[in-house]
Amino acid sequence: MFRKLSMAIAALTLMAGAAYADPIEGNWKTQSGETAAIGNCGGAFCITLKTGKHAGKQIGKMSASGEGSYAGSITDPADDKTYKGKAKLNGGSMKMSGCVFGGLICKSQNWTKL
């Protein structure tokens, strides 16, 4: 009986972990058409390109900064420039933005969850 109970608890724990995944986690279609994977990495969320010319490259790291909001850094893989980054979720879409020089130069993109 103890063995069955332990197995049931383990199964519920695994299901609960999947149910509590952060909304930013998953695969996202970038504005330029590549697929980016966002997953938990050491208390933050790492952004890695899965497709395209720069597949396999980690291009960002974000931490939650409020409900549906994230902050960290984002790198443009085309020129390897790193920006102070922000992400804001709105349902199945996310606005990614990055700025340098105290916000004087900014870029933004809209991504869609796959």
Side-chain angles (χ1 to χ4, degrees), residues 21-109:
D22 195 279
I24 199 171
E25 291 183 279
N27 292 318
W28 294 84
K29 181 69 73 178
T30 69
Q31 190 167 304
S32 56
E34 289 90 5
T35 299
I38 300 179
N40 192 317
C41 64
F45 299 98
C46 289
I47 307 165
T48 305
L49 291 175
K50 291 178 72 175
T51 62
K53 181 179 176 181
H54 303 284
K57 184 173 188 169
Q58 182 177 318
I59 61 164
K61 193 170 188 177
M62 301 269 180
S63 296
S65 62
E67 190 171 332
S69 297
Y70 302 83
S73 63
I74 188 87
T75 300
D76 183 339
D79 60 15
D80 276 332
K81 289 186 180 176
T82 300
Y83 300 86
K84 183 176 179 181
K86 290 183 181 182
K88 179 69 176 166
L89 296 177
N90 185 9
S93 65
M94 174 171 56
K95 182 177 183 178
M96 295 288 291
S97 60
C99 299
V100 293
F101 304 120
L104 293 175
I105 300 173
C106 298
K107 293 183 180 181
S108 66
Q109 288 191 1

